[in-house]
Amino acid sequence: MTEITVSAERLSHWFGQGETRKQALFDVSLALPRGSFTVLMGPSGSGKTTVLTLLGCLRAVQAGSVRLLGHELHGAPEPHLVALRRRLGFIFQMHNLHESLTAAQNVIMGLQVHPGVPDATARAAAAQVLGLVGLSDRIDYLPANLSGGQKQRVAVARALVGNPALVLADEPTAALDKDTAAGVVDLLKRMGAARGTTTLLVTHDNRILDRADRILTLEDGRIVKVEDRA
Amino acid sequence: MSRLLQRLFGRLPVGWLQLTHNRTRFFAALAGVAFANVLVFVQLGIMNSMSSAAVRPYAFFSADIMISAHDANTLSDGANVARQWLYQALADPEVAEGMGLYVTNVPWDRGMTDISLTTFGVDPFQPQFLTGTLGPDAGFLQLRDAALLDRLARGFNRADAAGISPATPLSFETERRTLTAWTTFAGGGGFGSDGYMFVSDQTFLRLFPARRAAAPDHILLRVTPGADVAAVVTRLKATLSDPGLRIRSFADAKAEDLRYQQTRRPTGVVFGFGVLIGVLVGLVIVYQVLSSDVADHLREYATFKAMGYRPSFFLGVVFEEALVLGVLGFIPGMIFGGGILTLMGKVTTLPLRMTPDMALSVFLGTVLFSALSGAIATRRLAAADPADLF
């Protein structure tokens, strides 16, 4: 039986209150098997980001069910959600690196969230992951001294250094040129496959669709198409 | 420093790295904290010196009880006291001896400047009421128009003061009389006058013909050895049933004078407010630095929140910054503050100096108020919503 990392059942979500209350998701159901690489597509305002934030414990589930790593998120208390977030990796459209930390220190922040990791271990792990993303020679560089692609690779390293069960990536290639974008996605897929990490990547970028195991298309808050490619 | 903080906190010193990333802003923030510290040090120094100066004259006397007029809040203010109360007090079996004390300020023309000396008229035949060298030197006051001068008086040339001795006395004019200083003692400038002078009660009355021997400013009493001063005071209050009298132990009179100077005198209130303003300036500076730092890094903080960092981590980072600013800002603040106090002390002869107690309390206050600023600044962290990152 396939192990499911995260699943959603009849997931609905609303924004606003009273007269301005607007439904963003309508009975969305999905399941991401362990180690899969899924792309979530759809036009702007279709609800992609809302799905990502709900699966990533960044918003409270209002209606329906989300099971993440065997835990029901509907009604889960905030400390429980925070603890679950530590088992996830986030990659944002903007790299969101801390400007005053070096590449290695930014990556260490991805590991230091887990209590009890010795400094030496954290440093070694950061150096290793930065090596995997091809930045061995940029370990002590501040983000200001890195190119856009290098920054995004540091962000990928930060997301992956803690061996997350699920990586949620929001338009990680939007600010990158074609070659760099392909490199980042390949890296994400390669490292995910090697570690059994499940990846859900939101994108508008048609250039990376051929790397996906499955493509979900969302329109007006509903999944309108599921395309399996594996 | 980074490694030290990493060991101290058991994590990357994000606050320190964040603060030092922008060196210009960091040093400006430290200068701001140091400035606030200097303000507090100077105000506290003046306040402390005012306290020291206020109680300094009490150190000239050796007495157990002081009887004053009801409105005499300090040694040099208030109405006179009838001498008859001295005789009535002496009737108490545990009152050993008493002396009338006359006090007023005397101008002394020093050529370029006039200085003012708080002048005490004492009984030269009761030297036991005086402390230190004043007791033995009180014998000089038995001479007509003799005086003992404060060699540390503001505006009194140190070389001139050093030249005064029984072999080379200094004669000078004041209140249209010629006084002769036979020796000196160590006093110092205060807020009410530039220094002190002792004369005999008879000389005092010759200087001020309007004053009467029957009405000294205060009455000093000494009790018999082993007597309970508080019990004697209670008895005297019952015996001397004039509501216009303040009968207190000498120690209480000194403490009440100090409290009066600090809380009722405009100078005390002004310098007290000065300390408060210094603290508020420091609070605002640290808050401003930390709050704008939090605002500038909201996106990074939101990222850390998304990654699963708990609120305690963010509090820790802001407190770390507050601690760094407080400690590193205190050091230059203490150096400059101490320097300014020393300089002011030399110029004014006021007892202005940085004491270890003052340094410690300002340090603890700085750290405390920096932490308070940090705590207020963390309220802005609530704006860092990780869901907004997507």
Side-chain angles (χ1 to χ4, degrees), chain B residues 1 4 15-16 26 34 37 54 67 70 127 157 168 183 185 222 234 247 252 257 273-274 277 291 332-333 357 387:
Chain B
M1 186 69 173
L4 175 75
W16 163 256
F26 178 55
N37 268 293
I67 301 175
H70 69 96
N157 186 286
T168 54
T183 187
F185 63 96
R222 285 164 62 90
T234 307
I247 305 170
D252 282 350
D257 188 341
F273 267 107
I277 300 265
S291 146
D357 281 0

Side-chain angles (χ1 to χ4, degrees), chain B residues 63-371:
Chain B
D64 298 311
I65 295 169
M66 186 163 87
I67 301 175
S68 316
H70 69 96
D71 58 348
N73 294 304
T74 71
L75 274 177
S76 53
D77 69 2
N80 303 330
V81 187
R83 181 174 276 272
Q84 70 176 67
W85 302 119
L86 168 59
Y87 303 126
Q88 289 204 25
L90 286 171
D92 187 283
E94 289 190 305
V95 174
E97 50 207 349
M99 177 182 83
L101 175 66
Y102 302 83
V103 189
T104 195
N105 275 11
V106 172
W108 181 17
D109 182 0
R110 294 291 298 156
M112 297 293 284
T113 54
D114 266 359
I115 67 173
S116 166
L117 298 175
T118 298
T119 302
F120 297 107
V122 296
D123 181 352
F125 296 98
Q126 297 200 83
Q128 68 276 19
F129 278 92
L130 301 174
T131 58
T133 59
L134 285 167
D137 290 342
F140 289 111
L141 301 182
Q142 294 174 23
L143 299 172
R144 187 181 174 88
D145 291 339
L148 305 178
L149 269 181
D150 178 359
R151 61 177 168 271
L152 299 180
R154 196 163 40 231
F156 186 20
N157 186 286
R158 296 288 174 272
D160 291 350
I164 298 174
S165 74
T168 54
L170 173 74
S171 291
F172 59 99
E173 285 194 11
T174 183
E175 297 292 321
R176 293 192 296 276
R177 290 192 75 84
T178 302
L179 296 184
T180 304
W182 292 93
T183 187
T184 62
F185 63 96
F191 284 83
S193 69
D194 298 306
Y196 300 92
M197 176 165 73
F198 277 80
V199 295
S200 71
D201 43 8
Q202 296 307 309
T203 302
F204 187 94
L205 294 169
R206 275 194 294 277
L207 280 171
F208 302 99
R211 293 294 302 270
R212 291 186 302 120
D217 292 274
H218 305 277
I219 293 167
L220 302 183
L221 303 175
R222 285 164 62 90
V223 299
T224 53
D228 180 357
V229 173
V232 178
V233 166
T234 307
R235 266 202 314 276
L236 289 177
K237 279 181 178 172
T239 316
L240 314 183
S241 55
D242 183 343
L245 290 181
R246 282 179 92 172
I247 305 170
R248 299 166 287 174
S249 72
F250 198 65
D252 282 350
K254 177 178 162 184
E256 285 173 18
D257 188 341
L258 182 59
R259 201 159 42 245
Y260 173 77
Q261 301 281 357
Q262 287 174 334
T263 60
R264 306 268 301 279
R265 273 266 166 100
T267 42
V269 176
V270 164
F271 292 127
F273 267 107
V275 172
L276 186 68
I277 300 265
V279 168
L280 285 178
V281 166
L283 195 78
V284 168
I285 288 171
V286 176
Y287 169 75
Q288 193 56 40
V289 171
L290 295 182
S291 146
S292 56
D293 193 69
V294 168
D296 288 350
H297 293 94
L298 270 187
R299 209 169 172 81
E300 286 95 330
Y301 284 136
T303 305
F304 291 151
K305 269 190 184 176
M307 287 159 65
Y309 279 94
R310 294 178 196 281
S312 57
F313 167 78
F314 303 103
L315 276 177
V317 169
V318 177
F319 278 131
E320 176 191 331
E321 291 186 296
L323 194 70
V324 166
L325 287 175
V327 172
L328 295 188
F330 170 78
I331 296 168
M334 185 181 71
I335 294 169
F336 281 109
I340 290 172
L341 284 179
T342 306
L343 191 68
M344 284 170 66
K346 279 190 177 167
V347 172
T348 62
T349 76
L350 286 167
L352 284 160
R353 62 184 180 278
M354 167 102 55
T355 61
D357 281 0
M358 196 201 294
L360 183 66
S361 58
V362 172
F363 174 70
L364 293 177
T366 305
V367 171
L368 182 75
F369 282 103
S370 297

Side-chain angles (χ1 to χ4, degrees), chain A residues 23-200:
Chain A
Q23 188 162 4
L25 294 181
F26 297 85
D27 295 329
V28 169
S29 296
L30 56 83
L32 305 184
R34 182 172 184 268
S36 62
F37 189 92
T38 305
V39 166
L40 182 59
M41 293 191 69
S44 293
S46 59
K48 304 185 298 294
T49 300
T50 307
V51 170
L52 214 60
T53 54
L54 285 166
L55 300 187
C57 311
L58 297 175
R59 290 191 199 283
V61 175
Q62 296 171 345
S65 161
V66 174
R67 287 193 73 77
L68 173 65
L69 303 169
H71 299 270
E72 175 57 53
L73 300 190
H74 192 170
E78 180 62 21
H80 189 56
L81 297 179
V82 171
L84 274 173
R85 286 211 294 268
R86 295 178 173 194
R87 298 172 65 184
L88 311 181
F90 292 94
I91 305 170
F92 308 96
Q93 186 174 342
M94 298 303 293
H95 51 81
N96 289 348
L97 296 181
H98 203 296
E99 60 172 7
S100 49
L101 305 185
T102 63
Q105 287 168 333
N106 267 293
V107 175
I108 287 172
M109 289 306 292
L111 202 57
Q112 201 176 251
V113 71
H114 304 285
V117 179
D119 289 347
T121 309
R123 276 199 301 274
Q128 189 201 4
V129 182
L130 283 169
L132 287 174
V133 298
L135 291 174
S136 295
D137 57 343
R138 297 287 189 273
I139 281 179
D140 293 321
Y141 278 48
L142 289 170
N145 300 325
L146 296 172
S147 69
Q150 288 170 334
K151 286 178 196 168
Q152 200 57 292
R153 280 192 275 163
V154 175
V156 170
R158 181 178 63 186
L160 296 179
V161 71
N163 278 329
L166 172 66
V167 170
L168 298 168
D170 185 34
E171 306 269 14
T173 58
L176 305 179
D177 62 60
K178 185 184 171 188
D179 290 341
T180 312
V184 166
V185 173
D186 284 342
L187 174 74
L188 211 47
K189 185 164 184 189
R190 197 172 63 245
M191 291 184 69
R195 297 170 178 220
T197 306
T198 307
T199 304
L200 177 63

